[in-house]
Amino acid sequence: MSLHRKGRAALVLALVAVVAMAFRVSWNALRDIANAVGADNTAATLYPFVVDGLMALALVATLVLAGRDRTFALRVLGTYTLASLVLNYVHGLVPKLHDAQLDWTRLADWDPANWALVLLATSLPVGSIYFGSDLVAKVLHHRPIPIPGPDMDAEESTKTLRNRSTADLAVSTPAPAPVLPVRMPDPVTVDFLKSTPLAKPLPTPVAAIERRPVAAESTRPRRATGRVPEVARSPKPRRTAAQLLDEARTATADWSDDRITAEGIRKTVRTSPANARMLRDTLLAERAAKSV
């Protein structure tokens, strides 16, 4: 374990040394670029720290953050690395930028290229303020997920692994161990059950009888739907024409001639409209014959 820690410490020291030397090599180019775009001596001296310093900050953020925040830090690191590479390349192509006494000069002979390079050089400090603040805020609000160790009990270890997402796990989840099929023993035939028949069948348990579903009895009579067939109808006695006429005469004996109508006779005698019209005509004819 100690050798592993020493190796990591040596690797970190080597990385710091390489970054420091690379920063020193790039420092002259970025300082001369700052002088060329109009910065004073103090601003030109601090300009390399703004560009390459943010690259170092983004590198540290990628080691701390995870997920989308880490992707954002990698993009910032890649963008500023590309910008520093372009400015160092322009510094090597334009010999006039090597003169430390020169306050301002063109970065390219072609006007659009010169304008693009000036915009790039002047926008990097503003971008360092924005992206640097965002990266620091993400690092400060980042909560590292503890990795279960030997000192953590089983319950805390299980809870920690459950809360960790799959993307945050350093090692993928191992495949489940294959389950070997278990062979069941062959059935054993018991001969004494065949020779000893049961005297009586086993009774059904009371609990099983009580749990059987029973159809609920309905006290409400079922209502017939649709037309009742002729066979199911109760026979109703039919009155003859003479019986209907006698009932109509009795019911309308005290009626006036204006009151004798087919509708009134139909409701009183309870007959069909055709019979009611026939009874009306008969009664009116009889009254007309009596009056003559």
Side-chain angles (χ1 to χ4, degrees), residues 8 29 113 156 215 240 245 282:
R8 293 175 60 183
E156 293 181 356
T240 61
L245 184 57
T282 303

Side-chain angles (χ1 to χ4, degrees), residues 48-73:
F49 293 96
V50 173
V51 180
D52 293 344
L54 183 65
M55 293 168 54
L57 177 62
L59 178 61
V60 175
T62 55
L63 301 177
V64 176
L65 300 176
R68 295 182 179 178
D69 295 339
R70 184 180 183 184
T71 303
F72 174 76

Side-chain angles (χ1 to χ4, degrees), residues 10-91:
L11 186 62
V12 172
L13 291 177
L15 176 62
V16 171
V18 171
V19 170
M21 289 185 291
F23 174 78
R24 178 62 186 86
V25 173
S26 178
W27 186 76
N28 278 341
L30 296 180
R31 182 195 61 183
D32 294 342
I33 292 292
N35 280 324
V37 295
D40 56 10
N41 293 330
T42 304
T45 304
L46 297 177
Y47 187 81
F49 293 96
V50 173
V51 180
D52 293 344
L54 183 65
M55 293 168 54
L57 177 62
L59 178 61
V60 175
T62 55
L63 301 177
V64 176
L65 300 176
R68 295 182 179 178
D69 295 339
R70 184 180 183 184
T71 303
F72 174 76
L74 286 173
R75 290 178 180 176
V76 173
L77 176 61
T79 301
Y80 268 73
T81 301
L82 182 61
S84 179
L85 175 62
V86 171
L87 295 181
N88 278 270
Y89 178 70
V90 172
H91 181 266

Side-chain angles (χ1 to χ4, degrees), residues 31-32 35-36 91 94-105:
R31 182 195 61 183
D32 294 342
N35 280 324
H91 181 266
V94 182
K96 294 181 180 179
L97 297 177
H98 304 170
D99 189 1
Q101 302 299 326
L102 187 63
D103 293 334
W104 181 87
T105 186

Side-chain angles (χ1 to χ4, degrees), residues 5 25 36 52 92 109 123 141 145 175 194 236 249 275 279 284 288:
R5 290 182 178 178
V25 173
D52 293 344
D109 295 334
S123 63
H141 288 85
I145 301 175
K194 296 181 179 179
K236 184 177 180 181
R249 286 172 181 169
N275 292 334
L279 293 174
L284 292 176

Side-chain angles (χ1 to χ4, degrees), residues 193-203:
L193 290 178
K194 296 181 179 179
S195 59
T196 309
L198 295 176
K200 294 182 179 180
L202 295 176

Side-chain angles (χ1 to χ4, degrees), residues 112-161:
N114 182 60
W115 297 338
L117 291 174
V118 171
L119 177 62
L120 175 63
T122 54
S123 63
L124 289 179
V126 181
S128 297
I129 297 174
Y130 174 77
F131 293 116
S133 302
D134 195 7
L135 288 175
V136 171
K138 291 181 184 299
V139 171
L140 293 179
H141 288 85
H142 177 69
R143 295 181 179 179
I145 301 175
I147 300 176
D151 298 335
M152 187 179 299
D153 56 0
E155 183 178 359
E156 293 181 356
S157 176
T158 305
K159 186 177 180 180
T160 302
L161 291 176

